[in-house]
């Protein structure tokens, strides 16, 4: 028997970990063989379309469905009351958010419609076009009520209360108070302050929200082909709210055309579609069209933040004082609520800096606009735009370089473990190292020289930095502790096929971010086989272990740990069989390149396929009572601290046309530390995609609402997302600080691109404008806003 | 959303198109590139009962130049105009404007006639047609008629076309000796309709025939036609600004005078993203830019 400890997954021979291996599923997707829920067609399937409230706030006096029911192809027409008989309402609060209020929400509006676009009546027909034809025949009598649209006045006594039972329009409020903020500000040499505006925007997934619900009354089974990032959560929601047995609900989602947090909330349309399938005993399909997406997919952001920062004459940051007002829709969204984003803002402002004095207040108010909830990088882009903008403002006032003020104030790399004034516990960050890397990566000095030279020629360029600290890979701290039935753990099962290849099924799923690649890399490495030998199944609650799936940048961090454990267990079991065949101690054997080898000698002894053959077909040749265990399952729950904090820094280089107010993005850089990098290319793609969304927030995207609560730019003709022509080259590099709480040490990487890019771009624009005495603090930074700041209009 | 139900007809000749138009009247719509019509049908803002597809009517396509006149068939695609040497030689303004229209894929389908017939106030071709004093040829079962671009565009998505009429082609006087064109636009994203845009054509040189002979008044601006788009319901000829530059060399003070004359020509209407004041400011900036490039010969 050998004395050496077994190799860890990180130093096994032929490791795939840390390599930019291409995605095994790319060929299938490029060949047009993706299986998106939108593609689903079932026999006897019918289609549902929704009549939506044209008003932001209205009483529904009556609904006449007669003409619609008689229209060609129509199978059913259902009102809020009809669906409520099959589907229980939900309440979007969490127990650990003390005092949070939100009324019961029904799939379709009941007595009142509370936002423009709220679904009111469902029409089911043989085709979607026929359903839409019939919608035009509905006669819904609305009595318009005064809409609540301005968060600033939502709590005024003169403002109507949207839900009388709640007493007022306050959904949630919270405070953080640490140190002695009043004294810190009184003693400060310099206080910089600003009021920031971050309006609403939305996710704009390439594939819209979609579901095909197939209820089989003979077995009381619901199968939902649902474009969801959280199939297990939806299994639970469908079972509880539709009164079905949990084991009779199966949610499937193989491929998904983008999610970004949009596809983990409970929306009324999917619930209604399931209820209709139960009502009709037929498959019912709903695909949001783009116009529906704008008025019904959750919106995000909408914060007015007033913040001030206290600094000493030497540039030492001593404290922050923050006030965040955020307007959500008429309901807090179920089951994750609409308070998490604001709650993160008031924890994350100042997060990279070693400060003792911290005060932040949050108010989340209800209004008659589309519902609002978590979207990629929840709260982070707000918090870091505020923080980094104040830091640059202080640097400018003190005539310090933006790099120098950051270096002097970051939580030092040798100060961990560290607890922030707002109460967050960091295991280990690399803020200083990341900054040093960035300075070199972007040739900071060279850029500054170029900027100065061009400025003499009347060209206004700006350099902006944006630091982030990011909450990733949460355990139960986000939702489980608040009573939400959202799994914090994940599971992976593996089965050796007789061929010697492996079937792997895992509860984390593929949203286009590369999950299936990552788990194949980890499994192949730990098992000692080639990646091509691993088949991965995701997105099916009926055939994968139970888990949390993909949200909050958790899939790779948590999924890789479940996978490595399952792979190790399967390897050990394979070696047991091999040992029995070879009559050797399993511990003296290993698997390399699909072969059973002598652990020390490396000599090939047997193929894994031979183990499969013997294990399945000739167990009679094995010792008595030896039962080959060639399928295993292992689960992993995040350990240690509530969150795995990551960090990094962005830089943006822009040119502002000070005559037109136009901004050209010249380049963008990201230094990110997501712990162990499992696949650099995938992490870089995540960063780039995230930056693109951050660019949208910084320069283009805004849901424009009229005073009456009408969304006035609810189409892709009018709502501006950045196109490829607007995106600069985005360069990404990595610093690796693995978490010690897990075996592989990966943290989350999915949101880092979005977390700090808006702030970096805002700093770059303000850096360009500084010589002209202008400054913007509202996003998106439109030509209109920049020209106004410049005093040209 | 799905389009409402419609019938589809695919004629081969102009005569067949006219017969169908005469028969169905208001109920019918001609479909050319479909790049404006199909989106509006798909959101049910338009619900024609009959679609008359003119994509197979060959006589409606093509670019020709003859005796000082450039003729562009209604069905000619934006991309064909962008690539045409004949257009570059006879109406360089169109070559300059083409790349600003939408994106490659849309330029491959969208047509010159379709764009004029749509009359989006922020679109490029109507402004160019106005500057170039184009003549728009319309035909119906009742006969043919010609409308000057200046009279053709009547409001937001409103033109002189009657429901039974087809736009067959456009005639544009070829650019004269010594004339130059200029084009400038500001849009939020590449390929978007303009926030504000400007098209210009005019002559830089001596005044009159005798002047030319005697080389008198070299380097002056003459005969300028300036049209702004994205600022009003239809392309706006900036006659006051043009008058401020007529017979003048371009320098800081003449340019300023022209910019200051713009409020006489129009007060911009705001859009979703831009106030009237911002558009007025951009109009001044773009006028400065387009005139500077045109005057210094960088325009063609
Ligand atoms: C994303 C996007 C961006 C765009 N951006 C721009 C832009 O920046 N600038 C711009 O100018 N355009 C833009 N467009 C519009 C594009 O240029 C269209 O091609 C053009 O406006 C319409 O031309 P069409 O041939 O597609 O017409 P269609 O869509 O086929 O028809 C439009 C209308 O014109 C009528 N019509 C068409 N041909 C005739 C005819 N011969 N006689 C009578 N009536 C006729 C139709 O009945 C219909 O009412 C954009 C379009 C899209 C989808």
């Amino acid at each position: 028997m050998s004395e050496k400890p077994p190799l860890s997954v990180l130093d096994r021979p032929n490791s795939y970990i840390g390599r930019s291996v291409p995605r095994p599923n790319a060929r299938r997707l490029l060949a047009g063989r993706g299986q998106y829920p939108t593609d689903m067609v079932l026999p006897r399937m019918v289609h549902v379309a929704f009549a939506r409230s044209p008003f932001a706030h209205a009483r529904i006096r009556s609904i006449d469905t007669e003409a619609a029911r008689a229209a060609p192809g129509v199978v059913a027409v259902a009102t809020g009351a009809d669906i409520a008989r099959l589907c229980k309402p939900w309440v979007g609060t969490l127990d650990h958010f003390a005092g949070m209020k939100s009324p019961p929400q029904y799939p379709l509006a009941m007595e009142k419609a509370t936002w423009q676009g709220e679904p009111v009546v469902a029409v089911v027909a043989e085709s979607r076009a026929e359903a839409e034809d019939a919608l035009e025949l509905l006669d819904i009598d609305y009595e318009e009520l005064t809409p609540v649209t301005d968060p600033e006045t939502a709590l005024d006594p003169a403002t109507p209360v949207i839900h009388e039972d709640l007493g007022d329009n306050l959904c949630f409020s919270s405070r953080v108070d640490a140190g002695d903020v009043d004294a810190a500000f009184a003693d400060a040499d310099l206080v910089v302050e600003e009021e920031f505006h971050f309006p609403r925007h939305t996710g704009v997934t390439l594939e819209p929200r979609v579901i095909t619900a197939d209820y089989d009354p003979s077995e009381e089974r619901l199968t939902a082909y649902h474009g969801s990032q959280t199939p297990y959560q939806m299994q639970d929601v469908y079972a509880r709210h539709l009164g079905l047995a949990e084991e009779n609900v199966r949610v499937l989602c193989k491929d998904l055309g983008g999610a970004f947090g949009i596809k983990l909330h409970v929306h009324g349309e999917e619930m209604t579609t399931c209820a209709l399938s139960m009502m009709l005993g037929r498959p019912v399909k709903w695909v949001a069209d783009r116009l529906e997406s704008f008025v019904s997919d959750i919106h995000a952001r909408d914060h007015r933040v007033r913040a001030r920062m206290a600094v000493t004459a030497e540039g030492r940051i001593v404290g922050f004082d923050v006030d965040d007002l955020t307007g959500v829709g008429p309901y807090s969204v179920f089951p994750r609520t609409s308070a998490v984003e604001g709650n993160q803002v008031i924890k994350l402002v100042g997060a990279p800096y070693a400060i003792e004095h911290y005060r932040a207040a949050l108010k989340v108010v209800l209004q008659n606009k589309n519902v609002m909830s978590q979207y990629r990088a929840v709260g982070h882009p707000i918090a870091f735009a505020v923080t980094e903008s104040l830091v640059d403002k202080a640097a400018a006032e003190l005539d310090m370089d933006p790099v120098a003020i950051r270096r002097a104030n970051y939580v030092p790399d040798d100060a961990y473990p560290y607890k922030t004034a707002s109460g967050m516990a960091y295991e280990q960050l690399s803020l200083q190292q990341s900054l040093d890397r960035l300075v070199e990566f972007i040739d900071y000095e060279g850029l500054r020289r170029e900027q100065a030279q061009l400025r003499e020629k009347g060209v206004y360029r700006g350099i902006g930095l944006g630091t982030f600290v990011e909450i990733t890979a949460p355990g139960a701290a986000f939702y489980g502790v608040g009573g939400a039935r959202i799994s914090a753990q994940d599971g992976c099962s593996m089965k050796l096929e007789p061929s010697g290849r492996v079937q792997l099924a895992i509860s984390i799923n593929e949203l286009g971010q590369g999950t299936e690649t990552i788990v194949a890399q980890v499994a192949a490495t730990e098992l000692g086989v080639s990646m091509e030998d691993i088949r991965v199944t995701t997105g099916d609650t009926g055939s994968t272990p139970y888990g949390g799936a993909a949200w909050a940048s958790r899939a790779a961090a948590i999924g890789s740990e479940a996978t490595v454990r399952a792979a190790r267990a399967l390897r050990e079991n394979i070696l047991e069989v091999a040992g029995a065949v070879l009559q050797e101690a399993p511990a003296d054997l290993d698997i390399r390149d699909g072969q059973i080898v002598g652990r020390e000698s490396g000599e090939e002894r047997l193929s894994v396929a031979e183990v499969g053959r013997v294990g399945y077909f000739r167990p009679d040749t094995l010792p008595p009572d030896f039962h080959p265990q060639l399928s295993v399952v292992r689960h992993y729950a995040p350990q240690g601290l509530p969150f795995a904090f990551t960090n990094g820094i962005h830089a943006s280089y822009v040119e502002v046309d000070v005559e037109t107010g136009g901004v050209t993005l010249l380049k963008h850089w990201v230094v990110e530390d997501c712990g162990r990098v499992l696949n650099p290319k995938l992490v870089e793609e995540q960063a780039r995609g995230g930056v693109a969304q951050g660019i949208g927030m910084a320069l283009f995207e805004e849901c424009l609402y009229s005073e009456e609560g009408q969304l006035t730019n609810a189409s892709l003709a009018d709502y501006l997302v950045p196109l490829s022509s607007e995106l600069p080259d985005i360069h990404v590099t990595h610093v690796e600080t693995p978490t010690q709480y897990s075996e592989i040490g990966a943290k989350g990487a999915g949101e880092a691109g979005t977390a700090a890019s808006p702030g970096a771009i805002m700093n770059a624009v303000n850096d360009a404008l500084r010589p002209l005495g202008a400054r913007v603090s509202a996003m998106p930074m439109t030509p209109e806003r920049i020209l106004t700041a410049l005093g040209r209009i | 959303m799905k389009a409402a139900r419609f019938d589809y007809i695919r004629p081969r000749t102009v005569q067949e198109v006219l017969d169908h138009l005469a028969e169905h009247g208001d109920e019918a719509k001609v479909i050319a590139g479909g790049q404006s019509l199909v989106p509006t049908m798909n959101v049910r803002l338009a619900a024609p009962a009959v679609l008359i597809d003119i994509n197979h009517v060959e006589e409606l396509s093509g670019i020709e130049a003859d005796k000082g006149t450039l003729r562009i068939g209604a069905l000619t695609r934006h991309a064909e105009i962008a690539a045409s040497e004949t257009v570059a030689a006879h109406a360089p303004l169109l070559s300059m404007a083409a790349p600003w229209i939408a994106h490659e894929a849309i330029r491959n389908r969208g047509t010159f006639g379709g764009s004029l017939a749509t009359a989006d106030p922020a679109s490029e071709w109507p402004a160019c047609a106005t500057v170039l004093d184009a003549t728009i040829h319309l035909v119906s079962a009742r006969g043919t008629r010609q409308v000057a671009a200046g009279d053709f565009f009547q409001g937001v998505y409103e033109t002189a076309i009657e429901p039974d009429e087809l736009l067959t082609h456009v005639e544009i006087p070829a650019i004269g000796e010594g004339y130059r064109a200029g084009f400038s636009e500001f849009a939020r994203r590449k390929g978007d309709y303009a926030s504000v845009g400007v098209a210009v054509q005019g002559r830089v040189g001596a005044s009159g025939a005798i002047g030319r002979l005697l080389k008198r008044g070299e380097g002056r601006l003459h005969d300028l036609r300036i049209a702004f788009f994205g600022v009003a319901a239809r392309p706006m000829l900036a006659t006051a600004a043009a008058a401020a530059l007529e017979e003048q060399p371009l320098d800081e003070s003449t340019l300023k005078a022209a910019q200051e004359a713009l409020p006489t020509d129009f007060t911009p209407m705001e859009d979703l993203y831009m106030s009237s004041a911002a558009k007025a400011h951009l109009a001044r900036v773009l006028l400065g830019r387009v005139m500077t490039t045109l005057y210094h010969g960088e325009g063609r």
Side-chain angles (χ1 to χ4, degrees), chain A residues 128-129 132-133 136 289 291 657 659-660 662 699-700 704 712-713 718-721 723 725-726 782-784 787 792-793, chain B residues 1-5 42-44 103 186 188-192 272-279 281-282 284-286 289:
Chain A
R128 171 74 184 234
E132 287 180 13
D133 288 345
E136 292 173 8
D289 70 39
L291 302 181
D657 181 335
E659 293 292 321
T660 64
L699 297 174
F700 298 103
L704 298 169
T712 58
N713 61 342
D718 292 326
Y719 180 93
L720 308 181
V721 290
L723 306 174
S725 42
E726 277 66 56
T782 58
E784 179 89 27
L787 290 172
R792 313 232 165 188
I793 54 173
Chain B
M1 268 172 104
K2 307 289 177 205
R5 198 176 281 279
N42 279 350
V43 296
R44 298 198 176 199
H103 310 271
F186 184 84
R188 289 291 299 283
R189 301 174 303 183
K190 189 171 186 310
D192 278 352
L272 267 177
Y273 287 102
M274 222 172 249
S275 64
S276 174
K279 288 199 172 204
H281 170 80
L282 280 179
R284 287 193 293 276
V285 171
L286 293 187
R289 289 185 179 177

Side-chain angles (χ1 to χ4, degrees), chain B residues 43-56:
Chain B
V43 296
R44 298 198 176 199
L45 285 175
V50 181
L51 271 193
I52 305 171
D53 184 349
I54 59 171
N55 282 280
H56 301 268

Side-chain angles (χ1 to χ4, degrees), chain B residues 29-39 54 60 74-75 77-78 100-103 106 109-115 117-118 122-126 161 165-168 185 191-194:
Chain B
K29 273 227 173 280
V30 159
I31 180 165
Q35 299 301 299
S36 293
L37 181 58
V38 173
I54 59 171
L60 290 175
L75 200 61
R77 315 282 165 183
H78 306 325
W100 290 88
I101 301 173
H103 310 271
I106 294 159
R109 290 296 303 163
T111 65
F112 194 62
S115 183
T118 302
S123 64
E124 290 78 6
W125 289 150
I161 305 183
E165 281 182 315
L166 179 71
L167 196 166
T168 53
E185 173 172 327
D192 278 352
Y193 280 106

Side-chain angles (χ1 to χ4, degrees), chain B residues 25 32 52 68 80 86 120 126 141 149 290:
Chain B
I52 305 171
E80 293 175 68
T86 311
D120 190 297
V290 77

Side-chain angles (χ1 to χ4, degrees), chain A residues 642-655:
Chain A
F643 309 106
F645 280 96
T646 66
N647 67 274
I649 180 164
H650 291 228
S652 164
Y653 191 38
V654 307
E655 186 169 313

